[in-house]
Amino acid sequence: MAVSNIRYGEGVTKEVGMDLHNLGARKVCVMTDQNLCQLPPVKAVLNSLTKNGITFQMYDDVRVEPTDQSFMDAITFAKKGEFDAYVAVGGGSVIDTCKAANLYSSSPESDFLDYVNAPIGKGKSVTVPLKPFIAVPTTAGTGSETTGIAIFDYKELKVKTGIASRAIKPTLGMIDPLHTIHMPERVVANSGFDVLCHALEAYTALPYKMRSPCPSNPINRPAYQGSNPISDVWAVHALRIVAEYLKRAVRMPDDHEARANMHLASAFAGIGFGNAGVHLCHGMSYPISGLVKSYRAKDYNVDHPLVPHGLSVVLTSPAVFTFTAEMCPERHLEAAEILGADIRTAKIKDAGLILADTLRKFLFDLNVDDGLAAIGYSKADIPALVKGTLPQ
Amino acid sequence: MAVSNIRYGEGVTKEVGMDLHNLGARKVCVMTDQNLCQLPPVKAVLNSLTKNGITFQMYDDVRVEPTDQSFMDAITFAKKGEFDAYVAVGGGSVIDTCKAANLYSSSPESDFLDYVNAPIGKGKSVTVPLKPFIAVPTTAGTGSETTGIAIFDYKELKVKTGIASRAIKPTLGMIDPLHTIHMPERVVANSGFDVLCHALEAYTALPYKMRSPCPSNPINRPAYQGSNPISDVWAVHALRIVAEYLKRAVRMPDDHEARANMHLASAFAGIGFGNAGVHLCHGMSYPISGLVKSYRAKDYNVDHPLVPHGLSVVLTSPAVFTFTAEMCPERHLEAAEILGADIRTAKIKDAGLILADTLRKFLFDLNVDDGLAAIGYSKADIPALVKGTLPQ
């Protein structure tokens, strides 16, 4: 069980320069994207670096929903810069890109596919030391600041895949609740759906004792190790926060308490799924995003069609949990209760259907698109979606 | 919020040699005590080191309830050995001693008092890099494998004090539930009382937002930072496990489920109090242990009078929580409910008394000594006990 260090509090971002100074960093790479580079979170980081006399270079070309090519562009920048520390300011796309940049610039002789998950890549263990890396999340969704996972679209195969290793986990995550108050409504909803599914999938993942084979050398064990007594604590706790605060956070932009709690829930769920793993919602989401045709997500300022990650994950969730309930019906029922279902007279055999119904109601209340058809898919796309899911 | 990496599972101890191999360690210091050095946990560690070709030296002279002198003996051994990694196998005494040995051998020019908590020591920040350190706890009490705290008796002043820094936290804690099945009955009870108080004190500690001043440089902030949304999760979860499993673990040595759960609870409470801090039960416990006259604890095989740490902590708990309830009565009532009280008709102003009564019942069920008088103190000792408490 690998857990990130996180620091939580309003304004903690302004301390990043001191942390880098304490780490002895002299030349820092700051990564962000074009939407964020003029916004307060990035400004707060840059001010802090300047104030503490830290030299830095800025890479603000991170692609929202990154690709192998956009990862490689960032890696090239990182290799050239010879940085001794990294700071990522953004959502999961930025933090994941920075993980890749830190990894491949620390292992310059590696081919890109060396560390990419098998079967698409070689899934090599990371044995090189990486540079210190501070992640400052600006969305409440991926929990990427707490995980050793970096996801990208592999264009050649039109699927999402990733790199998974404890070694690429940020050294420190700075959870500054002020950073999410500017998120547009749909970004709050979609990133909240990601937290919801992280929590539900981590809690219902195959238990760690049932996974086999377990590699005898700990360094070869996957970051995703199955549900366990520690990930369970985080998953359930995150789910309770989602149940209490997500609707408020979406509907009322000035509800700081709700947004701050969702920001924490994102990190908590990240610690949960970052160790337990995710399963079908996330596995199926990768082709759903990767094969996008013309869907343009409301509130996302990008120049390409996009199914936001959280949306692509949550759309299948009622079907997924109907299917998975058989494995651990008590947990499905418990999740339904946390999300508001009255389970006093529920039968254990109906656990999946009850959770599915509860999810549908929860999602419709939040104006989610109504299924895959609503984002542009038809029956004819099923073979391609299945093909994209299987490597996961 | 600094969280240790922990690995949980039956038999994980046999992996320690591989972990050290992965870390590139070539000369390892193994620390334990005279009671443990022939027992299965130490044997499992040594076998694993041998099997993986790791050269090691053994220091098995750790004192149960260590002193400044016993810390210094271990430090001398560590300095001489020039080790590149440490493994501690034992309870809090062993793990704490190993933290000190790792710290001072990595900072050989420092005086012993440099890193000791003020006002007794200078409370210097740790800026030197330490060696990798794997902790294998064999009791379910201190949670020392997850904290940056090392406690010892300072003989000159007859008080307990310690060293507190995130830097001395073990790199990895190995929670092997098989290790606690040989603990004698009173050791299970007393170490369980320590877990109970860690959880209760962390949950009722002054909230992090109310502590001041907050040092502007993060490196100067205390390990104990006040209760916060993350430590709360760990504290409450640990308390629930104590309520469910401690009595079973004490009464039935072969109840592996109960002992395994208490072993986990110890680590969980450690993460909670290691960040939030403890308060009066622990503060007062130090002179209660330090001024011991002739009390000899049942089930502890040592050649000196001893009030076990967990016992010295828990004896004052009913009085402490009666006193502290005013600060956060809801949390005191919630704790009482978790420990079995029926609070449906309870008044909030009675929270302290209700928790105290609940604790008394819980402790008497576990045959705890009946107050300070039962361990050899009288009214005449009060000035000395107060004097020993104040520096805390």
Side-chain angles (χ1 to χ4, degrees):
Chain A
M1 177 79 199
V3 189
S4 264
N5 289 324
I6 63 181
R7 189 182 304 152
Y8 170 75
E10 285 192 9
V12 290
T13 312
K14 65 176 186 285
E15 298 169 358
V16 70
M18 264 181 293
D19 287 297
L20 290 165
H21 178 80
N22 295 339
L23 287 164
R26 294 172 178 283
K27 193 179 177 195
V28 172
C29 175
V30 178
M31 289 214 170
T32 190
D33 66 35
Q34 287 290 330
N35 293 319
L36 281 158
C37 61
Q38 299 302 327
L39 293 182
V42 172
K43 284 190 180 161
V45 165
L46 299 186
N47 283 342
S48 175
L49 296 183
T50 307
K51 208 172 146 190
N52 287 278
I54 309 280
T55 307
F56 63 89
Q57 283 180 32
M58 177 99 157
Y59 184 82
D60 58 10
D61 271 337
V62 167
R63 182 186 154 101
V64 177
E65 310 290 334
T67 63
D68 47 339
Q69 186 56 52
S70 80
F71 266 20
M72 282 190 274
D73 293 344
I75 292 164
T76 303
F77 181 86
K79 283 182 173 170
K80 213 177 283 172
E82 298 185 340
F83 303 107
D84 53 15
Y86 291 82
V87 179
V89 191
S93 299
V94 174
I95 298 173
D96 285 7
T97 301
C98 200
K99 289 174 184 171
N102 189 6
L103 172 61
Y104 287 94
S105 62
S106 301
S107 182
E109 74 298 339
S110 294
D111 288 329
F112 182 70
L113 286 179
D114 281 356
Y115 294 116
V116 171
N117 294 339
I120 291 170
K122 292 187 192 154
K124 260 181 66 176
S125 298
V126 179
T127 53
V128 295
L130 269 62
K131 302 296 183 194
F133 172 14
I134 298 178
V136 184
T138 59
T139 61
T142 65
S144 181
E145 67 279 10
T146 68
T147 75
I149 297 143
I151 301 289
F152 64 94
D153 283 318
Y154 190 55
K155 281 293 180 189
E156 196 182 318
L157 299 182
K158 285 198 173 185
V159 290
K160 285 213 177 194
T161 180
I163 302 160
S165 166
R166 287 173 194 86
I168 63 173
K169 194 162 55 78
T171 325
L172 176 65
M174 295 259 198
I175 316 282
D176 189 332
L178 293 177
H179 287 172
T180 62
I181 59 179
H182 300 292
M183 278 202 291
E185 193 248 9
R186 277 300 97 187
V187 180
V188 178
N190 289 326
S191 50
F193 297 150
D194 199 18
V195 179
L196 170 66
C197 288
H198 286 158
L200 287 172
E201 290 175 69
Y203 196 48
T204 57
L206 196 67
Y208 74 107
K209 285 187 176 175
M210 290 172 68
R211 288 175 66 117
S212 65
C214 173
S216 62
N217 189 332
I219 208 172
N220 295 327
R221 288 184 198 148
Y224 287 171
Q225 58 198 253
S227 63
N228 60 69
I230 303 178
S231 64
D232 288 348
V233 176
W234 292 109
V236 169
H237 191 65
L239 190 61
R240 287 187 198 285
I241 301 179
V242 170
E244 185 167 354
Y245 290 107
L246 178 56
K247 289 182 188 172
R248 280 173 50 182
V250 171
R251 290 171 186 161
M252 291 174 286
D254 55 352
D255 186 339
H256 289 201
E257 184 194 353
R259 294 223 167 168
N261 272 286
M262 281 305 302
H263 208 20
L264 266 180
S266 168
F268 293 170
I271 302 174
F273 91 84
N275 286 278
V278 281
H279 53 78
L280 288 170
C281 299
H282 271 76
M284 297 203 284
S285 79
Y286 298 138
I288 293 172
S289 301
L291 299 172
V292 59
K293 298 174 197 175
S294 58
Y295 184 80
R296 289 192 175 258
K298 185 168 166 276
D299 287 348
Y300 287 75
N301 179 26
V302 291
D303 63 1
H304 49 88
L306 173 76
V307 182
H309 173 65
L311 180 60
S312 72
V313 165
V314 87
L315 283 177
T316 59
S317 65
V320 163
F321 294 108
T322 306
F323 175 73
T324 56
E326 204 182 310
M327 287 294 291
C328 49
E330 295 81 3
R331 289 187 172 213
H332 286 69
L333 219 46
E334 184 187 348
E337 185 176 31
I338 292 171
L339 290 170
D342 180 350
I343 62 158
R344 281 173 299 178
T345 57
K347 296 202 177 76
I348 197 81
K349 70 173 174 50
D350 297 330
L353 294 172
I354 292 170
L355 179 54
D357 280 346
T358 310
L359 278 169
R360 272 188 211 99
K361 185 174 173 322
F362 191 85
L363 298 175
F364 283 137
D365 280 355
L366 285 165
N367 302 315
V368 82
D369 291 89
D370 192 5
L372 292 181
I375 59 166
Y377 290 107
S378 68
K379 263 196 182 165
D381 299 305
I382 291 177
L385 290 170
V386 170
K387 192 179 158 212
T389 300
L390 291 181
Q392 314 294 339
Chain B
M1 176 79 199
V3 189
S4 265
N5 288 324
I6 61 182
R7 189 181 305 152
Y8 171 75
E10 286 193 9
V12 289
T13 312
K14 65 175 188 285
E15 298 169 357
V16 70
M18 264 180 293
D19 286 298
L20 290 164
H21 178 80
N22 294 339
L23 287 164
R26 293 171 178 282
K27 194 180 175 195
V28 172
C29 176
V30 178
M31 289 213 171
T32 189
D33 66 35
Q34 287 290 329
N35 293 319
L36 281 158
C37 60
Q38 299 301 327
L39 294 181
V42 172
K43 284 189 180 161
V45 166
L46 299 187
N47 283 343
S48 175
L49 296 184
T50 307
K51 207 172 148 190
N52 287 278
I54 308 280
T55 307
F56 63 89
Q57 284 180 31
M58 176 99 155
Y59 183 83
D60 57 10
D61 270 337
V62 168
R63 183 186 153 100
V64 178
E65 310 292 333
T67 65
D68 47 340
Q69 186 56 53
S70 80
F71 266 19
M72 282 190 271
D73 293 344
I75 291 164
T76 303
F77 181 87
K79 283 183 174 171
K80 214 176 283 172
E82 297 185 341
F83 302 107
D84 53 14
Y86 291 82
V87 180
V89 191
S93 299
V94 173
I95 298 172
D96 285 7
T97 300
C98 200
K99 288 174 184 170
N102 189 6
L103 172 61
Y104 287 94
S105 62
S106 301
S107 182
E109 74 301 336
S110 293
D111 288 327
F112 182 70
L113 286 179
D114 281 357
Y115 294 116
V116 172
N117 294 340
I120 290 169
K122 292 186 192 157
K124 261 181 66 178
S125 298
V126 179
T127 54
V128 294
L130 270 62
K131 303 296 184 193
F133 173 13
I134 298 178
V136 185
T138 59
T139 61
T142 65
S144 181
E145 68 278 10
T146 68
T147 76
I149 297 142
I151 301 291
F152 64 94
D153 283 318
Y154 190 56
K155 281 295 180 186
E156 197 183 316
L157 299 182
K158 287 199 172 184
V159 289
K160 285 212 178 194
T161 181
I163 303 160
S165 166
R166 288 174 192 85
I168 64 173
K169 195 163 53 80
T171 324
L172 176 65
M174 295 260 199
I175 317 283
D176 190 333
L178 293 177
H179 287 173
T180 62
I181 59 180
H182 301 291
M183 277 203 292
E185 192 246 10
R186 276 300 95 185
V187 180
V188 179
N190 289 325
S191 50
F193 297 151
D194 199 19
V195 180
L196 171 66
C197 287
H198 287 158
L200 287 171
E201 289 175 69
Y203 196 49
T204 57
L206 196 66
Y208 74 107
K209 285 188 177 174
M210 290 172 67
R211 289 174 65 118
S212 65
C214 174
S216 63
N217 189 330
I219 208 173
N220 295 326
R221 288 183 198 149
Y224 286 172
Q225 58 197 252
S227 62
N228 60 70
I230 303 178
S231 64
D232 288 347
V233 177
W234 292 108
V236 169
H237 191 66
L239 190 61
R240 287 188 198 283
I241 301 179
V242 170
E244 186 168 355
Y245 290 107
L246 178 56
K247 289 181 188 172
R248 280 172 51 182
V250 170
R251 291 171 185 160
M252 291 174 285
D254 56 352
D255 186 339
H256 289 201
E257 183 193 354
R259 293 221 168 170
N261 271 287
M262 281 305 302
H263 208 22
L264 267 180
S266 168
F268 293 170
I271 302 175
F273 91 83
N275 285 278
V278 281
H279 52 77
L280 289 170
C281 299
H282 272 77
M284 296 202 285
S285 80
Y286 298 138
I288 293 172
S289 301
L291 298 172
V292 60
K293 298 174 197 175
S294 58
Y295 184 81
R296 289 191 174 261
K298 185 168 166 276
D299 287 346
Y300 287 75
N301 178 25
V302 292
D303 63 0
H304 50 86
L306 174 76
V307 181
H309 174 65
L311 181 61
S312 72
V313 165
V314 88
L315 283 177
T316 60
S317 65
V320 162
F321 294 108
T322 306
F323 176 73
T324 55
E326 204 181 309
M327 286 295 291
C328 49
E330 295 81 3
R331 289 187 173 215
H332 286 68
L333 219 46
E334 185 186 348
E337 186 176 30
I338 292 172
L339 290 170
D342 180 351
I343 63 159
R344 281 174 299 179
T345 58
K347 298 203 176 73
I348 197 82
K349 71 174 174 49
D350 298 329
L353 294 171
I354 292 169
L355 178 53
D357 281 345
T358 310
L359 278 169
R360 273 188 210 99
K361 186 174 175 322
F362 191 85
L363 298 175
F364 283 137
D365 280 354
L366 285 166
N367 302 316
V368 82
D369 291 271
D370 190 5
L372 293 181
I375 60 165
Y377 290 106
S378 68
K379 264 197 180 163
D381 299 305
I382 292 178
L385 290 170
V386 170
K387 192 180 158 213
T389 300
L390 291 181
Q392 314 294 341

